[in-house]
Amino acid sequence: MHSVIKKAKRLIIKVGSSLVTNDGKGLDHAAIARWAAQIADLRTLGKEVVLVSSGAVAEGMQRLGFDKRPSAIHELQACAAVGQMGLAQIYETSFSKHDLRTAQVLLTHADLADRERYLNARSTLFTLLRLGVVPIINENDTVVTDEIKFGDNDTLGALVANLIEADALIILTDQKGLFSADPRKDPSATFVHHAQAGDPALEAMAGGAGTGIGRGGMLTKILAAKRAAVSGAHTVIAWGREENVLTRLADGEALGTELSAPTAQLTARKQWMADHLQTAGKVTLDAGAVQMLKSSGKSLLPIGVTEVSGEFGRGDVITCVDTAGQPFARGISNYASPDARRIIGHPSSQILSILGFFEEPELIHRDNLVLL
C-alpha cells in the first residue's frame, strides 16, 4: 500500500505527451475528461492539485499537419504556440463540467532560476490554489530557445514541486512504472514497487527516451524524483491509462512505482538555507524581534529590524544577527536591500505608503527562516 498520496495535501500531477495526445493523434479529449473528473474528486478530499501537462507541441503538429516532430526551432515554437490554444481550451472545458476553474501558467527554466521571478511564480501559484483554481503548467516552448531541445516536463514537474513545497509528485506515463530493465527487451525484468529517490541504482536501470512524441524516458522521471526529493516531495510513477489511477492512489492503493524522499519536507528546505556558507547581506534585530523568532516561531516583520547591511535582492538568503552582532538565523528576504532599508522600524501596514508597492507583510516569512 502506498500511503504518500493518501497523506499528501498538495500534489503535482504530470501527464506526458503520449497520454494527452493519444500517442500523437491529437488531443485525447476522453482521457483529459477522465483526469479532470479524478482531480475534481481529489479536490473534494481537500487536496490542492497543480497539473503539469505536456502536449502543446504534439497538438500543434497535428493542427499544422506535421507528421513528425519538426527539427527547426521556429517550427517547433510555432507548433507550441498553436497547440497551447487547444490544450488550454480542452482543459478549461473539461474542468468547468466539475465547476472548477483553471489557469494557464507558462514557465521557462529561466523563470525558476531567477530569484525574483521564482518568488513571483510561487506567490501566483499559492494565490491560485487559495482561490480554488487548478493551475495547468507547461514549459513556455514558444519563447525558449535552447531549453526546448532538452527541456522536459518531468523536470518541470519536479521544479514546481520544489517551488510550492508539494508533498508529492505523480508522474503519469505510458508505462506501468519502473522495471529493473526495459521489459520490451528483457523478459526477466522485474517491477520496482518501491525505492528511495536518488538511489544511484535506479539510474542504471533506466533506458533512453521512450516514444517519438514525448521527450522524456524513464531516466528523466527518475532524475525528476531525485530533484523533487530535495524539498521532501515523494514521487509516484504510474500508468496514466490505469482506470481511476488518481483516485485509487489517493485511496492508498499501491499503483506504479513509489520513490520516497529521504529527507523530511521542512528539513530539506531549511537545510538549503542553512547550507549557505556566505550570504549577500544581514539584518540586525532588536531584542524583542530576536526573542519572537527564537521562542515563538514568528515571522520577521520590518518593525523589528534596526539595521540592514550589504546588498541583496528579493529572494536572496540573508543572515539575521542579534544586538551583539551574533548570527542566529538565516532566511529568504521578501524585499531587496534598498527597499528593506526604507521599511525597517515601520509597521507592515505602512509598507505600501513608503514603497509605493507591497510584496509581503514580512521581511522574512517563518516558512523561509531557519534558526542556526
Side-chain angles (χ1 to χ4, degrees):
M1 176 167 166
H2 292 342
S3 57
V4 297
I5 308 301
K6 190 171 186 176
K7 291 178 185 170
K9 170 86 168 64
R10 185 176 296 143
L11 290 169
I12 311 296
I13 297 168
K14 183 263 173 178
V15 287
S17 307
S18 60
L19 293 173
V20 176
T21 62
N22 199 6
D23 295 318
K25 302 180 186 76
L27 289 175
D28 188 336
H29 291 220
I32 290 171
R34 288 194 295 271
W35 292 318
Q38 291 174 64
I39 289 169
D41 288 340
L42 298 186
R43 290 290 311 281
T44 62
L45 295 172
K47 296 183 188 297
E48 296 176 337
V49 179
V50 173
L51 187 61
V52 176
S53 175
S54 302
V57 171
E59 168 68 2
M61 283 164 53
Q62 204 255 349
R63 288 187 173 206
L64 293 172
F66 287 95
D67 54 358
K68 65 178 196 292
R69 190 179 173 95
S71 53
I73 193 80
H74 297 304
E75 286 184 344
L76 268 178
Q77 292 175 327
C79 286
V82 171
Q84 202 64 55
M85 296 298 286
L87 203 58
Q89 197 175 16
I90 182 64
Y91 276 122
E92 175 69 16
T93 304
S94 299
F95 278 97
S96 67
K97 289 173 182 163
H98 305 278
D99 296 321
L100 286 175
R101 285 193 171 86
T102 57
Q104 184 185 54
V105 181
L106 297 176
L107 295 173
T108 66
H109 290 292
D111 292 323
L112 301 183
D114 178 273
R115 289 195 183 281
E116 189 154 353
R117 280 150 70 185
Y118 178 97
L119 282 179
N120 285 338
R122 175 183 159 87
S123 297
T124 301
L125 287 170
F126 279 143
T127 303
L128 288 168
L129 292 173
R130 181 171 53 78
L131 294 171
V133 176
V134 178
I136 316 259
I137 298 182
N138 198 357
E139 187 167 6
N140 196 352
D141 289 337
T142 306
V143 297
V144 294
T145 49
D146 44 358
E147 282 97 337
I148 202 170
K149 295 175 189 167
F150 59 82
D152 63 84
N153 277 348
D154 297 321
T155 304
L156 182 57
L159 290 170
V160 173
N162 292 346
L163 177 69
I164 62 169
E165 291 137 50
D167 302 303
L169 167 65
I170 299 174
I171 298 178
L172 295 182
T173 181
D174 54 5
Q175 296 177 52
K176 296 277 186 182
L178 178 63
F179 287 83
S180 59
D182 188 340
R184 294 169 293 193
K185 296 173 186 164
D186 185 349
S188 66
T190 55
F191 190 75
V192 179
H193 291 280
H194 183 272
Q196 186 160 298
D199 181 345
L202 296 174
E203 291 168 43
M205 290 177 192
T211 67
I213 296 296
R215 305 298 291 159
M218 196 52 74
L219 181 60
T220 70
K221 291 160 184 52
I222 287 166
L223 294 175
K226 181 180 180 180
R227 192 183 289 267
V230 170
S231 65
H234 305 283
T235 298
V236 171
I237 302 168
W239 187 38
R241 300 202 187 281
E242 185 87 55
E243 190 174 356
N244 293 322
V245 58
L246 297 175
T247 43
R248 285 163 67 191
L249 281 169
D251 285 340
E253 194 172 331
L255 298 173
T257 299
E258 181 185 304
L259 301 176
S260 57
T263 320
Q265 187 180 42
L266 213 57
T267 314
R269 181 169 176 72
K270 301 217 166 183
Q271 188 67 43
W272 171 77
M273 290 185 277
D275 281 347
H276 275 69
L277 298 176
Q278 295 179 315
T279 59
K282 67 180 182 183
V283 287
T284 305
L285 278 58
D286 63 31
V290 172
Q291 185 62 27
M292 290 292 273
L293 260 60
K294 283 185 173 178
S295 61
S296 308
K298 299 288 187 185
S299 295
L300 175 61
L301 302 177
I303 197 166
V305 180
T306 58
E307 189 183 353
V308 174
S309 312
E311 298 303 320
F312 51 88
R314 180 174 184 235
D316 284 343
V317 175
I318 60 173
T319 301
C320 300
V321 302
D322 60 20
T323 49
Q326 286 299 309
F328 73 93
R330 288 204 182 117
I332 299 172
S333 178
N334 283 329
Y335 291 89
S337 49
D339 298 324
R341 287 191 177 92
R342 293 171 62 193
I343 61 174
I344 61 168
H346 293 278
S348 301
S349 57
Q350 292 178 10
I351 293 175
L352 180 60
S353 60
I354 294 169
L355 297 180
F357 68 92
F358 178 84
E359 295 286 5
E360 308 286 348
E362 316 88 7
L363 185 60
I364 302 174
H365 191 276
R366 60 178 293 178
D367 290 348
N368 295 330
L369 186 130
V370 58
L371 295 172
L372 301 175

mmCIF file with all atom_site columns, all heavy atoms in Angstrom, residues 213-237:
data_model
loop_
_atom_site.group_PDB
_atom_site.id
_atom_site.type_symbol
_atom_site.label_atom_id
_atom_site.label_alt_id
_atom_site.label_comp_id
_atom_site.label_asym_id
_atom_site.label_entity_id
_atom_site.label_seq_id
_atom_site.pdbx_PDB_ins_code
_atom_site.Cartn_x
_atom_site.Cartn_y
_atom_site.Cartn_z
_atom_site.occupancy
_atom_site.B_iso_or_equiv
_atom_site.pdbx_formal_charge
_atom_site.auth_seq_id
_atom_site.auth_comp_id
_atom_site.auth_asym_id
_atom_site.auth_atom_id
_atom_site.pdbx_PDB_model_num
ATOM 1   N N   . ILE A 1 213 ? 7.047  10.861 -29.646 1.00 0.00 ? 213 ILE A N   1
ATOM 2   C CA  . ILE A 1 213 ? 6.211  12.047 -29.399 1.00 0.00 ? 213 ILE A CA  1
ATOM 3   C C   . ILE A 1 213 ? 6.768  12.846 -28.225 1.00 0.00 ? 213 ILE A C   1
ATOM 4   O O   . ILE A 1 213 ? 6.976  14.038 -28.299 1.00 0.00 ? 213 ILE A O   1
ATOM 5   C CB  . ILE A 1 213 ? 4.747  11.623 -29.104 1.00 0.00 ? 213 ILE A CB  1
ATOM 6   C CG1 . ILE A 1 213 ? 4.149  10.931 -30.346 1.00 0.00 ? 213 ILE A CG1 1
ATOM 7   C CG2 . ILE A 1 213 ? 3.896  12.811 -28.694 1.00 0.00 ? 213 ILE A CG2 1
ATOM 8   C CD1 . ILE A 1 213 ? 4.020  11.835 -31.561 1.00 0.00 ? 213 ILE A CD1 1
ATOM 9   N N   . GLY A 1 214 ? 7.005  12.164 -27.103 1.00 0.00 ? 214 GLY A N   1
ATOM 10  C CA  . GLY A 1 214 ? 7.498  12.845 -25.911 1.00 0.00 ? 214 GLY A CA  1
ATOM 11  C C   . GLY A 1 214 ? 9.003  13.013 -25.953 1.00 0.00 ? 214 GLY A C   1
ATOM 12  O O   . GLY A 1 214 ? 9.674  12.507 -26.837 1.00 0.00 ? 214 GLY A O   1
ATOM 13  N N   . ARG A 1 215 ? 9.527  13.736 -24.969 1.00 0.00 ? 215 ARG A N   1
ATOM 14  C CA  . ARG A 1 215 ? 10.970 13.989 -24.905 1.00 0.00 ? 215 ARG A CA  1
ATOM 15  C C   . ARG A 1 215 ? 11.629 13.172 -23.812 1.00 0.00 ? 215 ARG A C   1
ATOM 16  O O   . ARG A 1 215 ? 12.826 12.956 -23.841 1.00 0.00 ? 215 ARG A O   1
ATOM 17  C CB  . ARG A 1 215 ? 11.236 15.486 -24.642 1.00 0.00 ? 215 ARG A CB  1
ATOM 18  C CG  . ARG A 1 215 ? 10.592 16.421 -25.630 1.00 0.00 ? 215 ARG A CG  1
ATOM 19  C CD  . ARG A 1 215 ? 11.086 16.217 -27.035 1.00 0.00 ? 215 ARG A CD  1
ATOM 20  N NE  . ARG A 1 215 ? 12.468 16.631 -27.190 1.00 0.00 ? 215 ARG A NE  1
ATOM 21  C CZ  . ARG A 1 215 ? 13.263 16.213 -28.165 1.00 0.00 ? 215 ARG A CZ  1
ATOM 22  N NH1 . ARG A 1 215 ? 12.812 15.321 -29.034 1.00 0.00 ? 215 ARG A NH1 1
ATOM 23  N NH2 . ARG A 1 215 ? 14.492 16.646 -28.269 1.00 0.00 ? 215 ARG A NH2 1
ATOM 24  N N   . GLY A 1 216 ? 10.871 12.761 -22.810 1.00 0.00 ? 216 GLY A N   1
ATOM 25  C CA  . GLY A 1 216 ? 11.495 12.148 -21.640 1.00 0.00 ? 216 GLY A CA  1
ATOM 26  C C   . GLY A 1 216 ? 11.269 10.661 -21.569 1.00 0.00 ? 216 GLY A C   1
ATOM 27  O O   . GLY A 1 216 ? 10.177 10.176 -21.810 1.00 0.00 ? 216 GLY A O   1
ATOM 28  N N   . GLY A 1 217 ? 12.310 9.912  -21.248 1.00 0.00 ? 217 GLY A N   1
ATOM 29  C CA  . GLY A 1 217 ? 12.170 8.485  -20.982 1.00 0.00 ? 217 GLY A CA  1
ATOM 30  C C   . GLY A 1 217 ? 12.099 8.252  -19.496 1.00 0.00 ? 217 GLY A C   1
ATOM 31  O O   . GLY A 1 217 ? 11.878 9.182  -18.719 1.00 0.00 ? 217 GLY A O   1
ATOM 32  N N   . MET A 1 218 ? 12.292 6.997  -19.074 1.00 0.00 ? 218 MET A N   1
ATOM 33  C CA  . MET A 1 218 ? 12.218 6.688  -17.645 1.00 0.00 ? 218 MET A CA  1
ATOM 34  C C   . MET A 1 218 ? 13.342 7.373  -16.868 1.00 0.00 ? 218 MET A C   1
ATOM 35  O O   . MET A 1 218 ? 13.167 7.739  -15.711 1.00 0.00 ? 218 MET A O   1
ATOM 36  C CB  . MET A 1 218 ? 12.266 5.165  -17.451 1.00 0.00 ? 218 MET A CB  1
ATOM 37  C CG  . MET A 1 218 ? 11.814 4.699  -16.084 1.00 0.00 ? 218 MET A CG  1
ATOM 38  S SD  . MET A 1 218 ? 10.182 5.330  -15.545 1.00 0.00 ? 218 MET A SD  1
ATOM 39  C CE  . MET A 1 218 ? 9.071  4.363  -16.564 1.00 0.00 ? 218 MET A CE  1
ATOM 40  N N   . LEU A 1 219 ? 14.490 7.592  -17.518 1.00 0.00 ? 219 LEU A N   1
ATOM 41  C CA  . LEU A 1 219 ? 15.602 8.244  -16.822 1.00 0.00 ? 219 LEU A CA  1
ATOM 42  C C   . LEU A 1 219 ? 15.219 9.646  -16.359 1.00 0.00 ? 219 LEU A C   1
ATOM 43  O O   . LEU A 1 219 ? 15.535 10.040 -15.232 1.00 0.00 ? 219 LEU A O   1
ATOM 44  C CB  . LEU A 1 219 ? 16.830 8.300  -17.726 1.00 0.00 ? 219 LEU A CB  1
ATOM 45  C CG  . LEU A 1 219 ? 18.081 8.949  -17.097 1.00 0.00 ? 219 LEU A CG  1
ATOM 46  C CD1 . LEU A 1 219 ? 18.520 8.183  -15.843 1.00 0.00 ? 219 LEU A CD1 1
ATOM 47  C CD2 . LEU A 1 219 ? 19.222 9.009  -18.100 1.00 0.00 ? 219 LEU A CD2 1
ATOM 48  N N   . THR A 1 220 ? 14.522 10.401 -17.213 1.00 0.00 ? 220 THR A N   1
ATOM 49  C CA  . THR A 1 220 ? 14.135 11.756 -16.804 1.00 0.00 ? 220 THR A CA  1
ATOM 50  C C   . THR A 1 220 ? 13.183 11.718 -15.608 1.00 0.00 ? 220 THR A C   1
ATOM 51  O O   . THR A 1 220 ? 13.195 12.606 -14.767 1.00 0.00 ? 220 THR A O   1
ATOM 52  C CB  . THR A 1 220 ? 13.474 12.563 -17.951 1.00 0.00 ? 220 THR A CB  1
ATOM 53  O OG1 . THR A 1 220 ? 12.191 12.028 -18.235 1.00 0.00 ? 220 THR A OG1 1
ATOM 54  C CG2 . THR A 1 220 ? 14.316 12.572 -19.201 1.00 0.00 ? 220 THR A CG2 1
ATOM 55  N N   . LYS A 1 221 ? 12.368 10.666 -15.528 1.00 0.00 ? 221 LYS A N   1
ATOM 56  C CA  . LYS A 1 221 ? 11.424 10.537 -14.407 1.00 0.00 ? 221 LYS A CA  1
ATOM 57  C C   . LYS A 1 221 ? 12.170 10.227 -13.104 1.00 0.00 ? 221 LYS A C   1
ATOM 58  O O   . LYS A 1 221 ? 11.842 10.755 -12.038 1.00 0.00 ? 221 LYS A O   1
ATOM 59  C CB  . LYS A 1 221 ? 10.388 9.469  -14.726 1.00 0.00 ? 221 LYS A CB  1
ATOM 60  C CG  . LYS A 1 221 ? 9.451  9.918  -15.849 1.00 0.00 ? 221 LYS A CG  1
ATOM 61  C CD  . LYS A 1 221 ? 8.737  8.783  -16.535 1.00 0.00 ? 221 LYS A CD  1
ATOM 62  C CE  . LYS A 1 221 ? 7.894  9.287  -17.696 1.00 0.00 ? 221 LYS A CE  1
ATOM 63  N NZ  . LYS A 1 221 ? 8.600  10.142 -18.667 1.00 0.00 ? 221 LYS A NZ  1
ATOM 64  N N   . ILE A 1 222 ? 13.188 9.378  -13.199 1.00 0.00 ? 222 ILE A N   1
ATOM 65  C CA  . ILE A 1 222 ? 13.994 9.033  -12.029 1.00 0.00 ? 222 ILE A CA  1
ATOM 66  C C   . ILE A 1 222 ? 14.775 10.259 -11.543 1.00 0.00 ? 222 ILE A C   1
ATOM 67  O O   . ILE A 1 222 ? 14.865 10.520 -10.340 1.00 0.00 ? 222 ILE A O   1
ATOM 68  C CB  . ILE A 1 222 ? 14.935 7.858  -12.379 1.00 0.00 ? 222 ILE A CB  1
ATOM 69  C CG1 . ILE A 1 222 ? 14.116 6.569  -12.477 1.00 0.00 ? 222 ILE A CG1 1
ATOM 70  C CG2 . ILE A 1 222 ? 16.042 7.710  -11.356 1.00 0.00 ? 222 ILE A CG2 1
ATOM 71  C CD1 . ILE A 1 222 ? 14.841 5.432  -13.121 1.00 0.00 ? 222 ILE A CD1 1
ATOM 72  N N   . LEU A 1 223 ? 15.314 11.012 -12.505 1.00 0.00 ? 223 LEU A N   1
ATOM 73  C CA  . LEU A 1 223 ? 16.047 12.231 -12.138 1.00 0.00 ? 223 LEU A CA  1
ATOM 74  C C   . LEU A 1 223 ? 15.098 13.295 -11.589 1.00 0.00 ? 223 LEU A C   1
ATOM 75  O O   . LEU A 1 223 ? 15.466 14.054 -10.686 1.00 0.00 ? 223 LEU A O   1
ATOM 76  C CB  . LEU A 1 223 ? 16.817 12.771 -13.353 1.00 0.00 ? 223 LEU A CB  1
ATOM 77  C CG  . LEU A 1 223 ? 17.949 11.873 -13.857 1.00 0.00 ? 223 LEU A CG  1
ATOM 78  C CD1 . LEU A 1 223 ? 18.562 12.439 -15.128 1.00 0.00 ? 223 LEU A CD1 1
ATOM 79  C CD2 . LEU A 1 223 ? 19.021 11.686 -12.784 1.00 0.00 ? 223 LEU A CD2 1
ATOM 80  N N   . ALA A 1 224 ? 13.867 13.331 -12.108 1.00 0.00 ? 224 ALA A N   1
ATOM 81  C CA  . ALA A 1 224 ? 12.862 14.267 -11.585 1.00 0.00 ? 224 ALA A CA  1
ATOM 82  C C   . ALA A 1 224 ? 12.514 13.919 -10.140 1.00 0.00 ? 224 ALA A C   1
ATOM 83  O O   . ALA A 1 224 ? 12.399 14.797 -9.286  1.00 0.00 ? 224 ALA A O   1
ATOM 84  C CB  . ALA A 1 224 ? 11.613 14.243 -12.453 1.00 0.00 ? 224 ALA A CB  1
ATOM 85  N N   . ALA A 1 225 ? 12.370 12.613 -9.857  1.00 0.00 ? 225 ALA A N   1
ATOM 86  C CA  . ALA A 1 225 ? 12.072 12.173 -8.484  1.00 0.00 ? 225 ALA A CA  1
ATOM 87  C C   . ALA A 1 225 ? 13.201 12.556 -7.536  1.00 0.00 ? 225 ALA A C   1
ATOM 88  O O   . ALA A 1 225 ? 12.965 12.991 -6.402  1.00 0.00 ? 225 ALA A O   1
ATOM 89  C CB  . ALA A 1 225 ? 11.858 10.661 -8.468  1.00 0.00 ? 225 ALA A CB  1
ATOM 90  N N   . LYS A 1 226 ? 14.431 12.431 -8.024  1.00 0.00 ? 226 LYS A N   1
ATOM 91  C CA  . LYS A 1 226 ? 15.610 12.804 -7.228  1.00 0.00 ? 226 LYS A CA  1
ATOM 92  C C   . LYS A 1 226 ? 15.583 14.301 -6.930  1.00 0.00 ? 226 LYS A C   1
ATOM 93  O O   . LYS A 1 226 ? 15.845 14.737 -5.812  1.00 0.00 ? 226 LYS A O   1
ATOM 94  C CB  . LYS A 1 226 ? 16.863 12.421 -8.028  1.00 0.00 ? 226 LYS A CB  1
ATOM 95  C CG  . LYS A 1 226 ? 18.188 12.699 -7.357  1.00 0.00 ? 226 LYS A CG  1
ATOM 96  C CD  . LYS A 1 226 ? 19.299 12.253 -8.312  1.00 0.00 ? 226 LYS A CD  1
ATOM 97  C CE  . LYS A 1 226 ? 20.687 12.496 -7.746  1.00 0.00 ? 226 LYS A CE  1
ATOM 98  N NZ  . LYS A 1 226 ? 21.718 12.045 -8.711  1.00 0.00 ? 226 LYS A NZ  1
ATOM 99  N N   . ARG A 1 227 ? 15.219 15.082 -7.952  1.00 0.00 ? 227 ARG A N   1
ATOM 100 C CA  . ARG A 1 227 ? 15.158 16.541 -7.781  1.00 0.00 ? 227 ARG A CA  1
ATOM 101 C C   . ARG A 1 227 ? 14.024 16.937 -6.834  1.00 0.00 ? 227 ARG A C   1
ATOM 102 O O   . ARG A 1 227 ? 14.190 17.793 -5.972  1.00 0.00 ? 227 ARG A O   1
ATOM 103 C CB  . ARG A 1 227 ? 14.959 17.199 -9.153  1.00 0.00 ? 227 ARG A CB  1
ATOM 104 C CG  . ARG A 1 227 ? 15.159 18.690 -9.176  1.00 0.00 ? 227 ARG A CG  1
ATOM 105 C CD  . ARG A 1 227 ? 14.861 19.247 -10.560 1.00 0.00 ? 227 ARG A CD  1
ATOM 106 N NE  . ARG A 1 227 ? 15.860 18.878 -11.532 1.00 0.00 ? 227 ARG A NE  1
ATOM 107 C CZ  . ARG A 1 227 ? 16.925 19.619 -11.835 1.00 0.00 ? 227 ARG A CZ  1
ATOM 108 N NH1 . ARG A 1 227 ? 17.126 20.759 -11.207 1.00 0.00 ? 227 ARG A NH1 1
ATOM 109 N NH2 . ARG A 1 227 ? 17.782 19.234 -12.757 1.00 0.00 ? 227 ARG A NH2 1
ATOM 110 N N   . ALA A 1 228 ? 12.861 16.305 -7.001  1.00 0.00 ? 228 ALA A N   1
ATOM 111 C CA  . ALA A 1 228 ? 11.718 16.619 -6.135  1.00 0.00 ? 228 ALA A CA  1
ATOM 112 C C   . ALA A 1 228 ? 12.011 16.265 -4.679  1.00 0.00 ? 228 ALA A C   1
ATOM 113 O O   . ALA A 1 228 ? 11.539 16.931 -3.754  1.00 0.00 ? 228 ALA A O   1
ATOM 114 C CB  . ALA A 1 228 ? 10.475 15.873 -6.622  1.00 0.00 ? 228 ALA A CB  1
ATOM 115 N N   . ALA A 1 229 ? 12.806 15.203 -4.482  1.00 0.00 ? 229 ALA A N   1
ATOM 116 C CA  . ALA A 1 229 ? 13.107 14.739 -3.120  1.00 0.00 ? 229 ALA A CA  1
ATOM 117 C C   . ALA A 1 229 ? 13.921 15.759 -2.329  1.00 0.00 ? 229 ALA A C   1
ATOM 118 O O   . ALA A 1 229 ? 13.908 15.748 -1.097  1.00 0.00 ? 229 ALA A O   1
ATOM 119 C CB  . ALA A 1 229 ? 13.856 13.407 -3.179  1.00 0.00 ? 229 ALA A CB  1
ATOM 120 N N   . VAL A 1 230 ? 14.620 16.657 -3.041  1.00 0.00 ? 230 VAL A N   1
ATOM 121 C CA  . VAL A 1 230 ? 15.424 17.674 -2.358  1.00 0.00 ? 230 VAL A CA  1
ATOM 122 C C   . VAL A 1 230 ? 14.553 18.527 -1.436  1.00 0.00 ? 230 VAL A C   1
ATOM 123 O O   . VAL A 1 230 ? 14.980 18.946 -0.364  1.00 0.00 ? 230 VAL A O   1
ATOM 124 C CB  . VAL A 1 230 ? 16.154 18.564 -3.397  1.00 0.00 ? 230 VAL A CB  1
ATOM 125 C CG1 . VAL A 1 230 ? 16.801 19.770 -2.740  1.00 0.00 ? 230 VAL A CG1 1
ATOM 126 C CG2 . VAL A 1 230 ? 17.203 17.733 -4.127  1.00 0.00 ? 230 VAL A CG2 1
ATOM 127 N N   . SER A 1 231 ? 13.303 18.783 -1.853  1.00 0.00 ? 231 SER A N   1
ATOM 128 C CA  . SER A 1 231 ? 12.414 19.567 -0.984  1.00 0.00 ? 231 SER A CA  1
ATOM 129 C C   . SER A 1 231 ? 11.446 18.667 -0.220  1.00 0.00 ? 231 SER A C   1
ATOM 130 O O   . SER A 1 231 ? 10.465 19.131 0.350   1.00 0.00 ? 231 SER A O   1
ATOM 131 C CB  . SER A 1 231 ? 11.639 20.599 -1.811  1.00 0.00 ? 231 SER A CB  1
ATOM 132 O OG  . SER A 1 231 ? 10.768 19.946 -2.704  1.00 0.00 ? 231 SER A OG  1
ATOM 133 N N   . GLY A 1 232 ? 11.709 17.366 -0.216  1.00 0.00 ? 232 GLY A N   1
ATOM 134 C CA  . GLY A 1 232 ? 10.900 16.446 0.586   1.00 0.00 ? 232 GLY A CA  1
ATOM 135 C C   . GLY A 1 232 ? 9.689  15.879 -0.111  1.00 0.00 ? 232 GLY A C   1
ATOM 136 O O   . GLY A 1 232 ? 8.855  15.226 0.518   1.00 0.00 ? 232 GLY A O   1
ATOM 137 N N   . ALA A 1 233 ? 9.549  16.105 -1.436  1.00 0.00 ? 233 ALA A N   1
ATOM 138 C CA  . ALA A 1 233 ? 8.382  15.568 -2.159  1.00 0.00 ? 233 ALA A CA  1
ATOM 139 C C   . ALA A 1 233 ? 8.647  14.127 -2.592  1.00 0.00 ? 233 ALA A C   1
ATOM 140 O O   . ALA A 1 233 ? 9.693  13.825 -3.173  1.00 0.00 ? 233 ALA A O   1
ATOM 141 C CB  . ALA A 1 233 ? 8.071  16.429 -3.381  1.00 0.00 ? 233 ALA A CB  1
ATOM 142 N N   . HIS A 1 234 ? 7.698  13.246 -2.306  1.00 0.00 ? 234 HIS A N   1
ATOM 143 C CA  . HIS A 1 234 ? 7.765  11.860 -2.773  1.00 0.00 ? 234 HIS A CA  1
ATOM 144 C C   . HIS A 1 234 ? 7.237  11.812 -4.207  1.00 0.00 ? 234 HIS A C   1
ATOM 145 O O   . HIS A 1 234 ? 6.458  12.677 -4.619  1.00 0.00 ? 234 HIS A O   1
ATOM 146 C CB  . HIS A 1 234 ? 6.901  10.952 -1.889  1.00 0.00 ? 234 HIS A CB  1
ATOM 147 C CG  . HIS A 1 234 ? 7.238  11.046 -0.435  1.00 0.00 ? 234 HIS A CG  1
ATOM 148 N ND1 . HIS A 1 234 ? 8.342  10.434 0.113   1.00 0.00 ? 234 HIS A ND1 1
ATOM 149 C CD2 . HIS A 1 234 ? 6.632  11.702 0.588   1.00 0.00 ? 234 HIS A CD2 1
ATOM 150 C CE1 . HIS A 1 234 ? 8.394  10.698 1.410   1.00 0.00 ? 234 HIS A CE1 1
ATOM 151 N NE2 . HIS A 1 234 ? 7.371  11.472 1.717   1.00 0.00 ? 234 HIS A NE2 1
ATOM 152 N N   . THR A 1 235 ? 7.643  10.796 -4.963  1.00 0.00 ? 235 THR A N   1
ATOM 153 C CA  . THR A 1 235 ? 7.206  10.667 -6.361  1.00 0.00 ? 235 THR A CA  1
ATOM 154 C C   . THR A 1 235 ? 6.572  9.304  -6.593  1.00 0.00 ? 235 THR A C   1
ATOM 155 O O   . THR A 1 235 ? 7.066  8.292  -6.073  1.00 0.00 ? 235 THR A O   1
ATOM 156 C CB  . THR A 1 235 ? 8.398  10.845 -7.328  1.00 0.00 ? 235 THR A CB  1
ATOM 157 O OG1 . THR A 1 235 ? 8.939  12.160 -7.158  1.00 0.00 ? 235 THR A OG1 1
ATOM 158 C CG2 . THR A 1 235 ? 7.978  10.679 -8.782  1.00 0.00 ? 235 THR A CG2 1
ATOM 159 N N   . VAL A 1 236 ? 5.479  9.289  -7.357  1.00 0.00 ? 236 VAL A N   1
ATOM 160 C CA  . VAL A 1 236 ? 4.892  8.031  -7.820  1.00 0.00 ? 236 VAL A CA  1
ATOM 161 C C   . VAL A 1 236 ? 4.860  8.086  -9.348  1.00 0.00 ? 236 VAL A C   1
ATOM 162 O O   . VAL A 1 236 ? 4.382  9.061  -9.928  1.00 0.00 ? 236 VAL A O   1
ATOM 163 C CB  . VAL A 1 236 ? 3.466  7.807  -7.262  1.00 0.00 ? 236 VAL A CB  1
ATOM 164 C CG1 . VAL A 1 236 ? 2.808  6.599  -7.932  1.00 0.00 ? 236 VAL A CG1 1
ATOM 165 C CG2 . VAL A 1 236 ? 3.508  7.612  -5.748  1.00 0.00 ? 236 VAL A CG2 1
ATOM 166 N N   . ILE A 1 237 ? 5.418  7.057  -9.985  1.00 0.00 ? 237 ILE A N   1
ATOM 167 C CA  . ILE A 1 237 ? 5.376  6.932  -11.445 1.00 0.00 ? 237 ILE A CA  1
ATOM 168 C C   . ILE A 1 237 ? 4.355  5.846  -11.770 1.00 0.00 ? 237 ILE A C   1
ATOM 169 O O   . ILE A 1 237 ? 4.504  4.702  -11.331 1.00 0.00 ? 237 ILE A O   1
ATOM 170 C CB  . ILE A 1 237 ? 6.759  6.540  -12.010 1.00 0.00 ? 237 ILE A CB  1
ATOM 171 C CG1 . ILE A 1 237 ? 7.819  7.581  -11.611 1.00 0.00 ? 237 ILE A CG1 1
ATOM 172 C CG2 . ILE A 1 237 ? 6.703  6.407  -13.537 1.00 0.00 ? 237 ILE A CG2 1
ATOM 173 C CD1 . ILE A 1 237 ? 9.260  7.139  -11.874 1.00 0.00 ? 237 ILE A CD1 1
#
